[in-house]
Amino acid sequence: MRESVEDDNVFQIGKEKFHKSQHWGYCNNVAMLLGEDKPGIGGEPLPGQKLKPEYSVFPKGMGSDAPAWVAFDKQVLSFDAYFEEEVPDKNQELYRIRHCKIYFYLEDDTIQVTEPQVKNSGIPQGTIVRRHRIPLPPPHEDQFYTIHHFNINIEVIFYGRRYKIINCDQFTKNFLRKMGVRLNPPADRPDDPYTKKRQQILESMNPLRPYERIDTLKQFLEHDGEVLRFFCVWDDPESMFHDPRELVLRYYLSDDTVDIKEIMPVNSGRDAVPLFLRRDKLPKYAPTGLYQPGTITSRTVLNVFGKLVGNRGRYILDNRKTGAVHQEFYRDSDLKIGAVINVWGRKIILCDCDEFTKEYYRTKYGIEDFTPVTYKAPPPPKPEKTFPPYTGFGSEEDSLCSCMGLLLKRPKKDVKKFMEKDRSGMESNTLRFLAKLVTDSPIDKDRKFIISYFLSDDTISVFEQVQQNTGILGGKFLERGRIKEPGQELFKSEPSNYFKAQDLFVGARVCFHGHNFLLVDADEYTMNYMEKHANEFSKADIDIVFKKLKDKAEPHSREIRQVFAAADPAHSKVIEYEPFRNLIASITDGAFSEHEIMTLARYYRVREEYEMDLHFLLAVAQEQLKKNSFDSFEQLSAVFIYNDREKRGVLPHEMCRTICKSFKLPLSDDDLQDLLTIFGNEAAHSILC
């Protein structure tokens, strides 16, 4: 029974507090469960509820529709204020003036009061009032402070403590003016009487011991980490060989100290030490003798009474430094290129400096001449490395490697060239030429040879075609390998010259181990490869051929037109290759090789248009894919789908060709070109299907 009565009393007390403070759904005047503008029963406002006016004082369209916590995020009004605090039971001060900052947060109308730290105040300082919404003083304690309650030179009361606002920052002034608040003039900031009295006492006091403030913090903060570096030389006259000693002098701008480090050359025979001179201030002139400890000090004191008062003296600080030993030290203004400084009796010449040092002197002192002082003799020319002549055992490269070092190593191969020019799919990277022997023998005149040049390792092989009823067995004529150019000395120190790809072209005469060959023709792949790489093969460069032909044919232009007209009686503007070749050969008087004439003819040839068999091309392509075990179809399809950004199932012709080449598709260029030409713009779609 007693418990139920107590429960009823608690409920009654809570109910009374509820009716006295706020209505249901509101906490600190903030709507929790109900809409802020929703009225009570009958349309009457609830207790403590403030309805928004129907019409605003601001024109329609001004301002932002964003909520306050978004529109005023991180925007704070700052006011300078103070309050008086009584100090009971203390004769030195009756009250205390404490200065503080009042922060008003616009996003949620919260207020925070903080007091800046004052050295040796003896008062707990920092946050006086934590950030929250502060209610107005009675009798309006049901309302809270808003922005309209703040101005300059007014008083506000926070929980019984009266704060006097004396000023605010510029942002606060501008914001209040925009809100339509007329700002009062700033008030004077009063001083704390006790703090002022203590300051006067401290200023009138003299220290019990001599004290002189030497402030080096500013120089340290401005120039910390900044070092001037000079490259120096010291010509030691007492050394055995009179060789100069190379040094590096570093001047620290933060405290005007110097250290010197010696550059030890390789195999100098000297002991390596960390520093030639440890970091310290460097005096300008070496003293004649060593000063006793305490002779050179930063301060000087005077004994006022001497020995008059017992054995105890009275000392005061000598501001005029009477009798002090003054010693000058090297400063940054004393260091420059070409200057000679005295480092404890050693004459050191400053020869050069780094870029930071040059920029420092250029900015501070306006020095522009930084010509270095030459102190090193020019290095002697390196002796030319000579090798013994080739002995004939093994290859020349192998014998040369045995002369490079004590540990024998095999000759290095050009792996990059091998990987780029090795056979890949239908790209053989092999140049093939049809050749004949240059001989007077009637038996050997009709022999035909296939000369193959492998671009991956610059090797050459020769095969003879089998011909019936000649009495000569065909097959391998010359083993694959590098072939030296004829006319070279066998046993010599220099490496031999070998045949290169540029030495082989139609019409060239080459000598392989005493056999003279005339190159009379080349296959289609060789001609196409040389024309694609015209920068490497001048005989297949159409621009060079045009320039060369222009110089030869320009004086005979009329005769050339007549010959062309005679060779084309039907006026078809087409001429056979043989008359064209004979005409070019007669014009150039043999200056053009057969390969250059063929390059010119291939440039102006009439390309035959033939109908390609789609099924035949697909059969050839499938056969090549099976032979080379190509199974990267899923990856190829994924790349096509990835490049088809618009999801049309169609890719451009060149993009399809590039993707196929990147996967090293085992198809020749002609077959791939024919396939893409037949399918046209639907090549990618066809491959995907």
Side-chain angles (χ1 to χ4, degrees):
M1 186 70 181
R2 181 178 300 175
E3 293 180 357
S4 62
V5 171
E6 290 178 356
D7 293 340
D8 292 339
N9 293 335
V10 172
F11 175 76
Q12 186 66 25
I13 293 172
K15 187 175 181 181
E16 291 175 1
K17 288 184 178 180
F18 165 76
H19 286 295
K20 287 183 180 179
S21 60
Q22 294 176 346
H23 60 87
W24 182 262
Y26 276 79
C27 180
N28 292 333
N29 203 20
V30 177
M32 292 296 174
L33 300 177
L34 303 178
E36 184 179 359
D37 298 335
K38 187 175 181 180
I41 299 175
E44 296 295 332
L46 298 174
Q49 183 182 18
K50 292 183 179 180
L51 298 179
K52 294 183 179 180
E54 184 177 358
Y55 302 100
S56 174
V57 296
F58 299 99
K60 189 175 181 180
M62 289 185 61
S64 174
D65 294 335
W69 57 273
V70 174
F72 299 111
D73 184 28
K74 298 180 181 179
Q75 295 188 15
V76 184
L77 304 184
S78 175
F79 298 92
D80 298 329
Y82 72 91
F83 63 93
E84 293 184 6
E85 184 181 29
E86 293 184 359
V87 183
D89 302 332
K90 196 172 183 181
N91 297 330
Q92 288 84 0
E93 51 179 343
L94 301 178
Y95 65 93
R96 185 177 297 151
I97 302 295
R98 298 178 63 176
H99 301 277
C100 58
K101 286 273 190 180
I102 300 177
Y103 298 106
F104 184 89
Y105 295 86
L106 296 172
E107 56 180 335
D108 53 0
D109 293 349
T110 55
I111 300 173
Q112 181 183 7
V113 182
T114 60
E115 183 180 7
Q117 296 286 343
V118 179
K119 187 178 181 181
N120 297 329
S121 64
I123 305 173
Q125 295 173 326
T127 302
I128 299 176
V129 180
R130 64 178 178 82
R131 178 181 173 182
H132 67 290
R133 298 185 69 188
I134 300 178
L136 293 174
H140 306 287
E141 61 270 13
D142 58 336
Q143 302 179 16
F144 296 91
Y145 276 99
T146 63
I147 190 174
H148 302 287
H149 294 96
F150 288 88
N151 201 338
I152 302 176
N153 204 359
I154 65 170
E155 293 182 353
V156 292
I157 300 175
F158 298 156
Y159 299 110
R161 177 174 286 175
R162 190 179 300 273
Y163 295 86
K164 178 64 178 292
I165 300 177
I166 58 177
N167 205 346
C168 62
D169 60 2
Q170 191 62 37
F171 172 78
T172 306
K173 292 180 181 179
N174 295 337
F175 190 85
L176 292 176
R177 288 194 184 100
K178 292 179 181 179
M179 292 295 296
V181 178
R182 180 174 295 178
L183 296 177
N184 300 328
D188 296 333
R189 178 178 180 177
D191 296 328
D192 184 21
Y194 182 69
T195 305
K196 189 175 182 181
K197 182 179 178 180
R198 286 193 57 185
Q199 187 67 26
Q200 293 175 356
I201 295 174
L202 291 175
E203 291 177 355
S204 62
M205 290 177 59
N206 291 323
L208 296 179
R209 63 178 183 273
Y211 178 78
E212 181 181 359
R213 182 177 179 84
I214 301 176
D215 186 12
T216 58
L217 181 60
K218 179 180 178 182
Q219 181 181 357
F220 173 79
L221 295 177
E222 289 181 352
H223 301 288
D224 183 31
E226 297 181 359
V227 182
L228 306 181
R229 186 170 61 167
F230 291 90
F231 303 100
C232 319
V233 64
W234 170 43
D235 191 1
D236 187 6
E238 298 180 1
S239 62
M240 182 180 297
F241 302 103
H242 298 283
D243 53 339
R245 309 275 290 272
E246 298 182 23
L247 309 172
V248 176
L249 183 144
R250 292 178 292 192
Y251 183 90
Y252 298 86
L253 295 173
S254 59
D255 55 358
D256 300 326
T257 55
V258 174
D259 70 355
I260 301 177
K261 183 178 179 62
E262 183 177 4
I263 302 176
M264 288 291 182
V266 181
N267 299 328
S268 63
R270 298 191 181 93
D271 295 332
V273 293
L275 288 175
F276 184 81
L277 177 68
R278 67 178 178 84
R279 181 175 175 179
D280 199 355
K281 288 192 174 183
L282 181 63
K284 280 193 175 182
Y285 304 102
T288 56
L290 295 176
Y291 290 106
Q292 295 296 325
T295 303
I296 301 176
T297 59
S298 58
R299 302 179 181 88
T300 306
V301 295
L302 298 177
N303 189 350
V304 180
F305 297 114
K307 296 183 180 181
L308 297 179
V309 186
N311 292 328
R312 299 178 61 185
R314 176 78 176 183
Y315 298 94
I316 63 173
L317 182 64
D318 183 13
N319 293 327
R320 299 194 177 271
K321 299 185 181 298
T322 306
V325 179
H326 297 282
Q327 191 173 19
E328 295 184 1
F329 297 93
Y330 280 102
R331 305 295 299 272
D332 56 347
S333 58
D334 302 321
L335 305 179
K336 61 181 180 179
I337 296 178
V340 180
I341 61 175
N342 191 334
V343 180
W344 299 101
R346 295 169 177 82
K347 304 293 183 180
I348 293 181
I349 305 174
L350 306 183
C351 300
D352 201 0
C353 60
D354 59 1
E355 291 298 327
F356 172 78
T357 307
K358 293 178 182 179
E359 186 63 27
Y360 175 81
Y361 280 93
R362 188 181 294 112
T363 304
K364 185 173 181 180
Y365 297 104
I367 299 176
E368 297 292 341
D369 186 14
F370 297 100
T371 305
V373 178
T374 57
Y375 61 92
K376 287 184 180 180
K382 291 185 179 180
E384 185 178 357
K385 197 172 184 179
T386 58
F387 299 98
Y390 175 54
T391 59
F393 295 97
S395 63
E396 292 187 7
E397 293 79 7
D398 193 14
S399 299
L400 185 61
C401 288
S402 64
C403 303
M404 295 294 185
L406 297 177
L407 299 178
L408 300 181
K409 296 181 181 179
R410 64 178 62 186
K412 290 185 179 180
K413 296 182 179 180
D414 193 350
V415 181
K416 181 180 178 182
K417 181 179 180 180
F418 177 80
M419 297 298 294
E420 292 178 352
K421 300 296 183 180
D422 191 24
R423 182 185 181 93
S424 176
M426 299 301 295
E427 290 289 335
S428 63
N429 288 316
T430 304
L431 307 182
R432 293 180 176 85
F433 298 89
L434 179 63
K436 292 183 178 181
L437 281 174
V438 181
T439 178
D440 296 333
S441 173
I443 300 176
D444 297 334
K445 278 185 177 180
D446 297 331
R447 298 173 65 181
K448 296 181 181 180
F449 301 87
I450 303 297
I451 298 177
S452 301
Y453 186 92
F454 301 90
L455 296 170
S456 60
D457 54 359
D458 299 327
T459 55
I460 299 175
S461 66
V462 181
F463 281 80
E464 183 176 3
Q465 291 183 352
V466 178
Q467 299 184 35
Q468 296 181 357
N469 301 327
T470 58
I472 300 175
L473 295 177
K476 184 187 296 184
F477 183 82
L478 182 63
E479 184 73 27
R480 177 178 175 179
R482 299 176 67 190
I483 301 178
K484 297 181 182 180
E485 294 181 358
Q488 300 184 77
E489 185 180 354
L490 180 60
F491 304 105
K492 62 184 187 316
S493 301
E494 296 79 13
S496 300
N497 297 325
Y498 293 86
F499 277 101
K500 300 178 181 178
Q502 290 77 11
D503 299 329
L504 304 181
F505 55 89
V506 179
R509 292 174 178 265
V510 293
C511 180
F512 296 160
H513 301 300
H515 299 278
N516 296 317
F517 293 94
L518 174 64
L519 307 185
V520 296
D521 200 359
D523 61 0
E524 186 67 20
Y525 175 83
T526 302
M527 300 298 293
N528 290 333
Y529 182 89
M530 297 177 74
E531 290 174 359
K532 289 180 181 178
H533 302 81
N535 56 336
E536 301 177 13
F537 302 93
S538 59
K539 302 295 183 180
D541 192 347
I542 191 63
D543 296 331
I544 298 177
V545 174
F546 276 153
K547 185 177 180 181
K548 190 175 179 181
L549 181 62
K550 182 179 180 182
D551 298 337
K552 294 287 186 180
E554 194 170 4
H556 310 283
S557 58
R558 181 177 299 178
E559 299 175 4
I560 295 172
R561 290 192 183 93
Q562 293 176 358
V563 172
F564 273 117
D568 184 21
H571 302 287
S572 61
K573 298 183 180 180
V574 177
I575 189 174
E576 296 293 334
Y577 175 72
E578 286 300 328
F580 177 79
R581 177 200 170 282
N582 297 333
L583 175 62
I584 299 299
S586 63
I587 294 173
T588 57
D589 295 331
F592 266 36
S593 63
E594 289 293 333
H595 201 112
E596 291 173 323
I597 298 175
M598 293 175 65
T599 301
L600 193 63
R602 287 170 59 86
Y603 184 78
Y604 286 107
R605 66 179 173 177
V606 177
R607 289 171 174 77
E608 298 179 0
E609 296 183 1
Y610 57 92
E611 185 176 356
M612 294 174 288
D613 188 358
L614 174 60
H615 299 287
F616 176 74
L617 284 175
L618 290 177
V620 172
Q622 292 175 2
E623 182 181 1
Q624 293 295 333
L625 293 175
K626 289 180 181 179
K627 284 184 177 180
N628 292 273
S629 301
F630 183 82
D631 55 356
S632 302
F633 295 104
E634 294 183 1
Q635 294 87 341
L636 182 63
S637 177
V639 173
F640 277 121
I641 295 174
Y642 175 77
N643 286 274
D644 187 14
R645 304 299 175 86
E646 299 180 359
K647 306 301 180 183
R648 298 185 307 164
V650 177
L651 287 178
H653 182 279
E654 291 298 328
M655 184 178 293
C656 296
R657 181 182 179 86
T658 304
I659 295 174
C660 294
K661 284 292 184 182
S662 65
F663 275 84
K664 296 183 179 180
L665 207 65
L667 296 176
S668 63
D669 288 343
D670 295 337
D671 293 343
L672 181 60
Q673 182 70 24
D674 293 341
L675 283 173
L676 295 177
T677 303
I678 291 176
F679 286 107
N681 290 332
E682 298 181 358
H685 179 74
S686 301
I687 294 177
L688 288 175
C689 294

